[in-house]
Amino acid sequence: MNRQWWQGKVGYQIYPKSYMDTTGNGIGDIRGIINRLDYLERLGVDIIWISPCYVSPLADQGYDIADYYKIDPRFGTNEDLYELIDKAKARNMYIVLDLVVNHCSDEHEWFQRALAYLQHPAEHPEWERYANYFYIEDAVEGREPNNWRSYFGGSVWEEIPGTNKYYLHLFHKKQPDLNWENPALREEIYDMINWWLDKGVAGFRIDAIMNIQKCDLRKNFEADRADGMAACTNMIYEADGIVAKLQGMRDHCFKPHKAFTVGEVFNVTDAQLRDIVGLEDGCFSTMFDFRAVEATGSEKGWYDVRPISMDLYKQCVYETQSKMAEIGFVSTIIENHDEPRGVSRYIPAADLSDTSKKCLATLQFMQRGLPFIYQGQEIGMENKSVTSIDEVDDISARDEYKVALAAGCTEAEALEAINNYSRDNARSPMQWDDSENAGFTTGIPWLSVNPNYTRINAAAQENDPDSVLNYYRQLTALRKNPAYSDTVVFGTFEPYLPDEENLMAFYRRGEGQTLLVLANTCKEPQTVNLPQEATAGIRNILLNNLSDLAVSGNRIMLAGYQAIVLAI
Ligand code: GLC
């Protein structure tokens, strides 16, 4: 496979609202990111993906865009962003923006004009153009055109007052879906993408993209909950034509600019993988590996999600690795702004420690793929629980709370589901130091800080050689160490003792070099026999999340959550 410039890099996701506030308005801003470039460089980050910071009513925290060309004043100015792009470039770092084009905000001029036209067609007949940017359907027998349930609850249809029409929104009603069947809309989007690429952004993380291809909007699916509706994801499997649309974007925008793209690709079939993320001729450079999220999801709602074990996590990783080996290069994550903190999700609460956090980090970083760190992951930030639903901002969590109650959960059970899976878990402000509000803001933070910031913060870990932060620095350094990077980045992935419980072990094989990763994924110690080929000796211990390693002959005694990387 052709090697690409981005494969050996380290990605980092910034959720700007919660990263660093320099104005005291309680909301993070672009200048805050500029001020932290030193920190990011020391961590070994190259590619910085910034969640949306365009003009937005923030109904879905920026994933509802009202002006694609303008930075929201709460986050700064376009000039701030250009400065960030330049300053990043000077350090060989790349800025990647979030491309949210399945939908825009209902406050976008396009939608406002579409509504005005639909409600008073005679006043601005020329605005019919904008009505065609969206999916507008007549009522069917006085009600919604189909029975699809939106991602954030309720019908995907919202009635347009004064008409007998509805508009489609797969997400929140303030996020009307854009009509990708309309060539004029596609041109608008291509122009916008190219405009940003011309400004010097290196590429995009591409939001919710599998949703842009719709199936027949009159099709009903079998109801899957007592509300009589069916998950709108049914539509994705039914729809035909997504690849051609993604290829259009690739050919008009990404390819001519040699842009880096990482897709938020859910609900993809194996047959589509090569077309979408094939390294040779796919539509995107890479996509996030959500296998572990998908494996435990439940159609019923968060209250029904079963906790994931490390053994199941292992299976998920192995599945993805084997599937992608001949096709392309995934982007690995343990968390993002839509998921709970990885350490809280994958490690039982009683076992949370710096050691277990480093163990999980090792497993993520040593896979074949492009690792993305989500802000705060590098210092081991944990979930932040609430004691009442009133403390929750996330629209998705608020809906899931209602879903849980409607399904018969007690308030305590519903709240437990929210505490486990709320998107606020990862959105609480970045914990910079132990001063008030964790050094995130001098004002009132838009979402409260996790009270554990006095213990878990970047400043406390900066100079502690054993900190989680410094362990992440070791991981990024190993990835870039010329003696090993070829194997770490491009080496094949081969499970070792895959059926052993509580052990996640694998080889990375490069040209003339083999690395072995051994991780004890439980708190009890365990002994692992080294493979035959290693009995000649361990050449080098490249990483160890503890200070000791007990070896006797060809047996290694791993302490609880001990993880090591060996050159054999
Ligand atoms: C993606 C984003 C999520 C957002 C949704 C709608 O899944 O990651 O935060 O709510 O798309 O844009």
Side-chain angles (χ1 to χ4, degrees), residues 60 63 100 103 152 171 175 205 207-208 264 337-338 423 427:
D60 187 21
Y63 283 91
V100 188
H103 45 266
F152 297 150
F171 292 87
Q175 295 170 296
R205 173 266 187 183
D207 186 71
E264 187 199 24
H337 66 293
D338 293 331
R423 304 193 298 178
R427 297 178 180 186

PDB file of all heavy atoms in Angstrom, residues 60 63 100 103 152 171 175 205 207-208 264 337-338 423 427, ligand 1:
ATOM      1  N   ASP A  60     -26.794  22.077  19.456  1.00  0.00           N
ATOM      2  CA  ASP A  60     -26.049  20.825  19.587  1.00  0.00           C
ATOM      3  C   ASP A  60     -24.557  21.174  19.676  1.00  0.00           C
ATOM      4  O   ASP A  60     -23.714  20.539  19.070  1.00  0.00           O
ATOM      5  CB  ASP A  60     -26.347  19.896  18.400  1.00  0.00           C
ATOM      6  CG  ASP A  60     -25.720  18.506  18.573  1.00  0.00           C
ATOM      7  OD1 ASP A  60     -25.417  18.132  19.719  1.00  0.00           O
ATOM      8  OD2 ASP A  60     -25.528  17.816  17.550  1.00  0.00           O
ATOM      9  N   TYR A  63     -22.610  21.708  16.406  1.00  0.00           N
ATOM     10  CA  TYR A  63     -22.907  20.799  15.291  1.00  0.00           C
ATOM     11  C   TYR A  63     -24.200  21.235  14.582  1.00  0.00           C
ATOM     12  O   TYR A  63     -24.809  20.477  13.848  1.00  0.00           O
ATOM     13  CB  TYR A  63     -22.969  19.344  15.771  1.00  0.00           C
ATOM     14  CG  TYR A  63     -21.561  18.794  15.994  1.00  0.00           C
ATOM     15  CD1 TYR A  63     -20.931  18.898  17.234  1.00  0.00           C
ATOM     16  CD2 TYR A  63     -20.847  18.214  14.951  1.00  0.00           C
ATOM     17  CE1 TYR A  63     -19.637  18.432  17.422  1.00  0.00           C
ATOM     18  CE2 TYR A  63     -19.547  17.744  15.127  1.00  0.00           C
ATOM     19  CZ  TYR A  63     -18.953  17.855  16.358  1.00  0.00           C
ATOM     20  OH  TYR A  63     -17.668  17.410  16.533  1.00  0.00           O
ATOM     21  N   VAL A 100     -19.557  19.539   8.925  1.00  0.00           N
ATOM     22  CA  VAL A 100     -20.903  19.094   9.318  1.00  0.00           C
ATOM     23  C   VAL A 100     -21.847  19.440   8.177  1.00  0.00           C
ATOM     24  O   VAL A 100     -22.339  20.563   8.084  1.00  0.00           O
ATOM     25  CB  VAL A 100     -21.346  19.786  10.626  1.00  0.00           C
ATOM     26  CG1 VAL A 100     -22.657  19.185  11.129  1.00  0.00           C
ATOM     27  CG2 VAL A 100     -20.258  19.692  11.689  1.00  0.00           C
ATOM     28  N   HIS A 103     -26.457  18.277   7.828  1.00  0.00           N
ATOM     29  CA  HIS A 103     -27.500  19.227   8.232  1.00  0.00           C
ATOM     30  C   HIS A 103     -26.838  20.561   8.525  1.00  0.00           C
ATOM     31  O   HIS A 103     -25.620  20.646   8.661  1.00  0.00           O
ATOM     32  CB  HIS A 103     -28.212  18.717   9.489  1.00  0.00           C
ATOM     33  CG  HIS A 103     -27.248  18.214  10.535  1.00  0.00           C
ATOM     34  ND1 HIS A 103     -26.881  16.880  10.651  1.00  0.00           N
ATOM     35  CD2 HIS A 103     -26.515  18.863  11.477  1.00  0.00           C
ATOM     36  CE1 HIS A 103     -25.996  16.749  11.620  1.00  0.00           C
ATOM     37  NE2 HIS A 103     -25.740  17.929  12.144  1.00  0.00           N
ATOM     38  N   PHE A 152     -31.953  12.108  18.402  1.00  0.00           N
ATOM     39  CA  PHE A 152     -32.109  12.753  19.708  1.00  0.00           C
ATOM     40  C   PHE A 152     -33.532  12.622  20.244  1.00  0.00           C
ATOM     41  O   PHE A 152     -33.953  13.368  21.107  1.00  0.00           O
ATOM     42  CB  PHE A 152     -31.697  14.231  19.616  1.00  0.00           C
ATOM     43  CG  PHE A 152     -30.240  14.439  19.269  1.00  0.00           C
ATOM     44  CD1 PHE A 152     -29.832  15.565  18.560  1.00  0.00           C
ATOM     45  CD2 PHE A 152     -29.265  13.525  19.656  1.00  0.00           C
ATOM     46  CE1 PHE A 152     -28.492  15.767  18.242  1.00  0.00           C
ATOM     47  CE2 PHE A 152     -27.924  13.710  19.337  1.00  0.00           C
ATOM     48  CZ  PHE A 152     -27.528  14.838  18.632  1.00  0.00           C
ATOM     49  N   PHE A 171     -31.326  14.574  13.264  1.00  0.00           N
ATOM     50  CA  PHE A 171     -30.844  14.912  14.598  1.00  0.00           C
ATOM     51  C   PHE A 171     -31.889  15.830  15.253  1.00  0.00           C
ATOM     52  O   PHE A 171     -33.075  15.577  15.128  1.00  0.00           O
ATOM     53  CB  PHE A 171     -29.426  15.510  14.502  1.00  0.00           C
ATOM     54  CG  PHE A 171     -28.413  14.475  14.055  1.00  0.00           C
ATOM     55  CD1 PHE A 171     -28.168  14.233  12.707  1.00  0.00           C
ATOM     56  CD2 PHE A 171     -27.743  13.691  14.994  1.00  0.00           C
ATOM     57  CE1 PHE A 171     -27.264  13.255  12.304  1.00  0.00           C
ATOM     58  CE2 PHE A 171     -26.843  12.715  14.589  1.00  0.00           C
ATOM     59  CZ  PHE A 171     -26.604  12.496  13.238  1.00  0.00           C
ATOM     60  N   GLN A 175     -31.683  21.124  13.556  1.00  0.00           N
ATOM     61  CA  GLN A 175     -30.655  20.678  12.604  1.00  0.00           C
ATOM     62  C   GLN A 175     -31.315  20.086  11.353  1.00  0.00           C
ATOM     63  O   GLN A 175     -31.280  18.868  11.143  1.00  0.00           O
ATOM     64  CB  GLN A 175     -29.754  19.635  13.285  1.00  0.00           C
ATOM     65  CG  GLN A 175     -28.946  20.214  14.455  1.00  0.00           C
ATOM     66  CD  GLN A 175     -28.259  19.143  15.277  1.00  0.00           C
ATOM     67  OE1 GLN A 175     -28.926  18.311  15.899  1.00  0.00           O
ATOM     68  NE2 GLN A 175     -26.936  19.149  15.304  1.00  0.00           N
ATOM     69  N   ARG A 205     -12.506  16.428   9.717  1.00  0.00           N
ATOM     70  CA  ARG A 205     -13.167  15.280  10.322  1.00  0.00           C
ATOM     71  C   ARG A 205     -14.609  15.416   9.819  1.00  0.00           C
ATOM     72  O   ARG A 205     -15.190  16.504   9.834  1.00  0.00           O
ATOM     73  CB  ARG A 205     -13.096  15.379  11.854  1.00  0.00           C
ATOM     74  CG  ARG A 205     -13.902  14.318  12.593  1.00  0.00           C
ATOM     75  CD  ARG A 205     -15.292  14.826  12.935  1.00  0.00           C
ATOM     76  NE  ARG A 205     -16.024  13.887  13.775  1.00  0.00           N
ATOM     77  CZ  ARG A 205     -17.271  14.066  14.164  1.00  0.00           C
ATOM     78  NH1 ARG A 205     -17.922  15.153  13.810  1.00  0.00           N
ATOM     79  NH2 ARG A 205     -17.886  13.176  14.903  1.00  0.00           N
ATOM     80  N   ASP A 207     -18.457  14.742   9.777  1.00  0.00           N
ATOM     81  CA  ASP A 207     -19.513  14.439  10.738  1.00  0.00           C
ATOM     82  C   ASP A 207     -20.666  13.625  10.144  1.00  0.00           C
ATOM     83  O   ASP A 207     -21.174  13.968   9.070  1.00  0.00           O
ATOM     84  CB  ASP A 207     -20.062  15.778  11.244  1.00  0.00           C
ATOM     85  CG  ASP A 207     -21.067  15.629  12.357  1.00  0.00           C
ATOM     86  OD1 ASP A 207     -20.655  15.261  13.459  1.00  0.00           O
ATOM     87  OD2 ASP A 207     -22.270  15.884  12.116  1.00  0.00           O
ATOM     88  N   ALA A 208     -21.072  12.624  10.879  1.00  0.00           N
ATOM     89  CA  ALA A 208     -22.349  11.926  10.627  1.00  0.00           C
ATOM     90  C   ALA A 208     -22.588  11.616   9.144  1.00  0.00           C
ATOM     91  O   ALA A 208     -23.724  11.642   8.668  1.00  0.00           O
ATOM     92  CB  ALA A 208     -23.502  12.779  11.180  1.00  0.00           C
ATOM     93  N   GLU A 264     -16.498  10.192  10.327  1.00  0.00           N
ATOM     94  CA  GLU A 264     -17.301   9.603  11.403  1.00  0.00           C
ATOM     95  C   GLU A 264     -18.258   8.649  10.700  1.00  0.00           C
ATOM     96  O   GLU A 264     -19.356   9.020  10.319  1.00  0.00           O
ATOM     97  CB  GLU A 264     -18.078  10.665  12.188  1.00  0.00           C
ATOM     98  CG  GLU A 264     -18.762  10.030  13.390  1.00  0.00           C
ATOM     99  CD  GLU A 264     -19.901  10.853  13.978  1.00  0.00           C
ATOM    100  OE1 GLU A 264     -20.500  11.686  13.281  1.00  0.00           O
ATOM    101  OE2 GLU A 264     -20.218  10.643  15.155  1.00  0.00           O
ATOM    102  N   HIS A 337     -16.010  13.437  22.024  1.00  0.00           N
ATOM    103  CA  HIS A 337     -16.983  14.328  22.660  1.00  0.00           C
ATOM    104  C   HIS A 337     -18.389  13.740  22.700  1.00  0.00           C
ATOM    105  O   HIS A 337     -19.292  14.370  23.235  1.00  0.00           O
ATOM    106  CB  HIS A 337     -17.005  15.659  21.900  1.00  0.00           C
ATOM    107  CG  HIS A 337     -17.540  15.470  20.502  1.00  0.00           C
ATOM    108  ND1 HIS A 337     -16.861  14.743  19.540  1.00  0.00           N
ATOM    109  CD2 HIS A 337     -18.693  15.862  19.914  1.00  0.00           C
ATOM    110  CE1 HIS A 337     -17.577  14.716  18.431  1.00  0.00           C
ATOM    111  NE2 HIS A 337     -18.694  15.389  18.636  1.00  0.00           N
ATOM    112  N   ASP A 338     -18.584  12.572  22.100  1.00  0.00           N
ATOM    113  CA  ASP A 338     -19.900  11.925  22.117  1.00  0.00           C
ATOM    114  C   ASP A 338     -19.933  10.710  23.029  1.00  0.00           C
ATOM    115  O   ASP A 338     -20.964  10.036  23.130  1.00  0.00           O
ATOM    116  CB  ASP A 338     -20.263  11.428  20.704  1.00  0.00           C
ATOM    117  CG  ASP A 338     -20.485  12.559  19.726  1.00  0.00           C
ATOM    118  OD1 ASP A 338     -20.908  13.649  20.154  1.00  0.00           O
ATOM    119  OD2 ASP A 338     -20.239  12.345  18.522  1.00  0.00           O
ATOM    120  N   ARG A 423     -22.945  12.525  27.098  1.00  0.00           N
ATOM    121  CA  ARG A 423     -21.863  13.163  26.356  1.00  0.00           C
ATOM    122  C   ARG A 423     -21.200  14.276  27.182  1.00  0.00           C
ATOM    123  O   ARG A 423     -20.099  14.706  26.875  1.00  0.00           O
ATOM    124  CB  ARG A 423     -22.403  13.705  25.021  1.00  0.00           C
ATOM    125  CG  ARG A 423     -23.082  12.598  24.206  1.00  0.00           C
ATOM    126  CD  ARG A 423     -23.334  13.008  22.774  1.00  0.00           C
ATOM    127  NE  ARG A 423     -24.227  14.153  22.675  1.00  0.00           N
ATOM    128  CZ  ARG A 423     -24.560  14.720  21.519  1.00  0.00           C
ATOM    129  NH1 ARG A 423     -24.085  14.262  20.377  1.00  0.00           N
ATOM    130  NH2 ARG A 423     -25.388  15.743  21.489  1.00  0.00           N
ATOM    131  N   ARG A 427     -17.276  16.340  28.054  1.00  0.00           N
ATOM    132  CA  ARG A 427     -17.339  17.756  27.670  1.00  0.00           C
ATOM    133  C   ARG A 427     -17.039  18.686  28.830  1.00  0.00           C
ATOM    134  O   ARG A 427     -17.000  19.905  28.657  1.00  0.00           O
ATOM    135  CB  ARG A 427     -18.716  18.063  27.079  1.00  0.00           C
ATOM    136  CG  ARG A 427     -18.965  17.284  25.804  1.00  0.00           C
ATOM    137  CD  ARG A 427     -20.344  17.519  25.222  1.00  0.00           C
ATOM    138  NE  ARG A 427     -20.504  16.731  23.998  1.00  0.00           N
ATOM    139  CZ  ARG A 427     -21.548  16.805  23.193  1.00  0.00           C
ATOM    140  NH1 ARG A 427     -22.546  17.622  23.473  1.00  0.00           N
ATOM    141  NH2 ARG A 427     -21.619  16.052  22.105  1.00  0.00           N
TER     142      ARG A 427
HETATM  143  C1  GLC B   1     -21.921  13.675  15.233  1.00  0.00           C
HETATM  144  C2  GLC B   1     -21.251  14.533  16.270  1.00  0.00           C
HETATM  145  C3  GLC B   1     -22.220  14.789  17.377  1.00  0.00           C
HETATM  146  C4  GLC B   1     -23.396  15.522  16.814  1.00  0.00           C
HETATM  147  C5  GLC B   1     -23.999  14.792  15.620  1.00  0.00           C
HETATM  148  C6  GLC B   1     -24.889  15.689  14.832  1.00  0.00           C
HETATM  149  O1  GLC B   1     -22.248  12.433  15.709  1.00  0.00           O
HETATM  150  O2  GLC B   1     -20.076  13.936  16.703  1.00  0.00           O
HETATM  151  O3  GLC B   1     -21.656  15.514  18.436  1.00  0.00           O
HETATM  152  O4  GLC B   1     -24.371  15.674  17.798  1.00  0.00           O
HETATM  153  O5  GLC B   1     -23.026  14.332  14.726  1.00  0.00           O
HETATM  154  O6  GLC B   1     -24.135  16.650  14.149  1.00  0.00           O
END
